[in-house]
Amino acid sequence: MKHLLSLEKLANADIEKILRDAIIYKRERARVDRKPLAGQTWALIFSKPSTRTRVSFEVGIRELGGQVMFLNTNDIQLGRGEPVKDTARVLGRMLHGAVIRTFAQSDVEEFAAFAKIPTINALTDGEHPCQILADIFTFKEKHGPIVGKTVAFIGDGASNVARSWAWAAGKLGFELHIAAPRKYQPPADLLKRAGGKISCSDDVEKAARGADLLYTDVWISMGKESESAARLKAFQGYQINASLKKLANPGALMMHCLPAYRGKEIDEETFEANADTIFTQAENRLHVQKAILNWAVAQ
Ligand code: CP
Ligand code: NVA
């Protein structure tokens, strides 16, 4: 049984296979002969809003021959307090796979353990593995191999997206510079476990210097809205903009996982100047997740 719950737990060989297969899924999208999910019904079980993840998984599952249902947790008994492990044991007897977006990382892990069907993390507070796999695919597509390169993550260094970048850096041999206010840096034990070449400081310019990719995420992640005022204050200056780009390597890419808040983590001009890369990242969620689904159901 294969799950994609965390980049930490995904073997390098599996990452490589997914990224390799995604090239074919992208190039041969019009061809309809690969149906690894034929006869299967998958559910998307989401406790947080989503545009890209929801649509890319729904389209991807259908294109791979499967049926898909979307379950907002407010509409099922889970939202009224039915335990994750009970929900998982019910759904595991009916579905062939699950794609889950929720808060606690432990909830996707518990679901996978009890449902005993392939389970994919579509974002938790702890990780956003599908996003980072699509981002790395996009980097390779536009800029070549990521090994030996430098990625600068500017903003909420404790966010799910930043944490998944840290696991990827440890595994894939690129340098990661995280610039975040002290209170919003990734936990020291995570950095230690991730290994690799990761540096973390509150110095945005230091992080951007010599980077091949400048990356940012929202200042206020889903579920953190009650901290908005403090976050807006703490993250002032943690922005990707033209002056920061000057410090990066010539030809450096700029990426954003979306949704973007102009004037906060990125300015309008920089966003629009890099819109092709940013929306290719979004598109690549579809191709990479088809490769993930194919990997998850393969024996
Ligand atoms: N980047 C991303 O996961 O977007 P959604 O929240 O729209 O799914
Ligand atoms: N860190 C963001 C990512 C959105 C795709 C959030 O969790 O809201």
Side-chain angles (χ1 to χ4, degrees):
M1 178 70 50
K2 285 190 253 171
H3 307 297
L4 174 43
L5 305 178
S6 156
L7 279 189
E8 179 186 12
K9 309 251 170 66
L10 194 62
N12 277 36
D14 293 331
I15 295 177
E16 278 160 25
K17 178 179 168 48
I18 289 165
L19 296 177
R20 222 174 28 245
D21 288 354
I23 297 171
I24 298 162
Y25 278 115
K26 183 165 187 174
R27 199 170 58 213
E28 299 181 7
R29 185 174 176 204
R31 277 180 48 189
V32 289
D33 56 341
R34 289 165 213 267
K35 300 286 182 197
L37 300 192
Q40 298 201 2
T41 301
W42 282 60
L44 269 56
I45 307 162
F46 279 35
S47 306
K48 293 175 176 173
S50 171
T51 301
R52 283 144 286 272
T53 310
R54 176 177 175 175
V55 174
S56 53
F57 267 112
E58 290 204 27
V59 171
I61 290 167
R62 289 197 180 98
E63 288 189 359
L64 294 181
Q67 307 273 345
V68 58
M69 69 179 71
F70 182 81
L71 300 173
N72 180 325
T73 49
N74 288 330
D75 298 334
I76 60 174
Q77 300 291 5
L78 188 63
R80 296 181 64 242
E82 184 167 19
V84 170
K85 62 185 179 182
D86 293 357
T87 307
R89 281 178 283 188
V90 173
L91 298 185
R93 287 168 181 246
M94 301 177 188
L95 298 167
H96 300 92
V99 177
I100 300 180
R101 169 167 286 201
T102 190
F103 295 86
Q105 176 70 20
S106 56
D107 282 351
V108 284
E109 285 166 11
E110 187 174 338
F111 185 95
F114 280 88
K116 298 189 170 63
I117 53 175
T119 302
I120 297 172
N121 177 352
L123 180 149
T124 61
D125 291 345
E127 274 229 40
H128 198 1
C130 298
Q131 176 72 54
I132 275 54
L133 290 173
D135 296 337
I136 289 168
F137 179 85
T138 309
F139 183 92
K140 292 173 75 152
E141 196 180 32
K142 293 209 169 263
H143 212 78
I146 198 164
V147 61
K149 296 289 194 311
T150 298
V151 176
F153 183 97
I154 313 293
D156 183 359
S159 74
N160 36 25
V161 170
R163 290 171 192 241
S164 289
W165 270 110
W167 296 122
K171 284 171 183 283
L172 300 181
F174 59 87
E175 212 168 297
L176 178 64
H177 299 171
I178 298 173
R182 288 198 188 285
K183 194 175 165 203
Y184 301 97
Q185 294 181 355
D189 69 310
L190 185 155
L191 295 181
K192 201 171 158 203
R193 289 212 318 275
K197 291 187 187 162
I198 306 177
S199 63
C200 197
S201 78
D202 57 4
D203 188 334
V204 176
E205 295 188 355
K206 191 172 134 201
R209 232 167 255 130
D212 301 291
L213 167 62
L214 295 178
Y215 193 105
T216 192
D217 179 17
V218 296
W219 290 349
I220 303 161
S221 284
M222 293 178 280
K224 306 287 185 201
E225 291 79 3
S226 65
E227 302 171 12
S228 293
R231 283 175 172 262
L232 287 176
K233 201 167 154 213
F235 286 111
Q236 284 306 317
Y238 287 85
Q239 185 188 70
I240 293 189
N241 51 36
S243 60
L244 204 63
K245 186 181 187 302
K246 288 196 189 108
L247 301 174
N249 281 341
L253 294 179
M254 241 130 302
M255 289 192 187
H256 193 309
C257 56
L258 299 174
Y261 293 85
R262 272 93 154 171
K264 305 271 189 320
E265 72 275 2
I266 192 163
D267 70 355
E268 169 75 15
E269 187 196 352
T270 308
F271 182 92
E272 291 302 337
N274 295 281
D276 180 62
T277 303
I278 292 168
F279 292 107
T280 300
Q281 270 178 276
E283 179 197 328
N284 284 340
R285 298 289 306 278
L286 170 66
H287 311 301
V288 170
Q289 287 162 196
K290 282 169 79 177
I292 292 169
L293 290 160
N294 178 59
W295 164 84
V297 298
Q299 294 305 313

